Amino acid sequence: MIDEPRSFKRKYVACKQLPGTKGQSLVELAIGISLLLLLLSGIFDVGRAIFTQFALQDAAEEGIIYGIAYPNECANIVTRVRNSLENNTTIPSNPAITVRINGANCGSITLEYGQKMVVEVNSTFTMTMPFFAGNTLNLRGTANGTILRPPPGT
C-alpha cells in the first residue's frame, strides 16, 4: 500500500469567529439596506421631477398650438395650458403661465403674420428624498411658434 504524501491529505478546519465580530454582518446589512433605500428614494424623486418637466413642456406646447392659430385669444391660450395640466397631481394648482408675442405680453401688441409667440409655464417641484426633503426645484416648459394667421376681422 502506497502512503499519500502529507500535502494531499484533507484537512478540516472549523470556522471560528474572531473576537469582537459577532454582530458585524448585521451592521453591514443595516448600512447596506439604508444606502439602497436612500438611492431608491432618490430615483423616485428624480423620476417625478422628470415627469413634471415633461408635463410642463407638453402644456406649453398645447398652448402654442392654440396660440399660433388664435393669437388674439390670450385668455383662451392660458386656459388651454391650465386644462392640459388639470389631471397632473405633481404640479401645484397655480403654475405661472406667460404668453409673449415678439417679447411683449399677449394682448399688448398689434398682431401680424410671422410674429414670434412664446408660451412659458413655470412651476416649483418639492423634493421628498431624505436629506433633501422640502427643497424645491424650479421647472420650466417653453414652446416657441410663429403666428400663422392674423386675428379675425383684420
Side-chain angles (χ1 to χ4, degrees), residues 75-151:
N76 288 343
I77 297 170
V78 172
T79 302
R80 189 84 173 233
V81 172
R82 288 200 192 284
N83 288 344
S84 179
L85 295 173
E86 189 172 79
N87 295 325
N88 194 328
T89 58
T90 61
I91 297 175
S93 60
N94 197 13
I97 301 169
T98 330
V99 180
R100 297 188 181 279
I101 300 172
N102 282 353
N105 286 334
C106 185
S108 65
I109 190 170
T110 305
L111 299 173
E112 297 176 10
Y113 286 115
Q115 290 177 319
K116 182 180 177 185
M117 178 181 278
V118 178
V119 176
E120 188 174 286
V121 185
N122 293 305
S123 182
T124 57
F125 176 79
T126 305
M127 298 183 70
T128 58
M129 182 177 142
F131 303 116
F132 297 108
N135 289 342
T136 59
L137 297 173
N138 295 321
L139 301 177
R140 175 179 47 203
T142 305
N144 302 309
T146 303
I147 295 177
L148 299 177
R149 64 181 186 179

Side-chain angles (χ1 to χ4, degrees), residues 15-90:
C15 291
K16 293 183 181 179
Q17 287 185 341
L18 297 174
T21 61
K22 196 170 187 176
Q24 179 180 355
S25 296
L26 184 61
V27 171
E28 289 175 359
L29 178 68
I31 291 172
I33 287 178
S34 298
L35 290 175
L36 284 174
L37 288 175
L38 182 66
L39 182 66
L40 188 63
S41 68
I43 290 171
F44 283 131
D45 245 6
V46 169
R48 286 179 45 237
I50 291 172
F51 177 76
T52 302
Q53 174 65 37
F54 286 161
L56 292 174
Q57 184 66 36
D58 286 344
E61 289 171 1
E62 186 69 29
I64 202 74
I65 289 169
Y66 185 82
I68 59 176
Y70 303 99
N72 60 333
E73 298 181 10
C74 301
N76 288 343
I77 297 170
V78 172
T79 302
R80 189 84 173 233
V81 172
R82 288 200 192 284
N83 288 344
S84 179
L85 295 173
E86 189 172 79
N87 295 325
N88 194 328
T89 58
T90 61

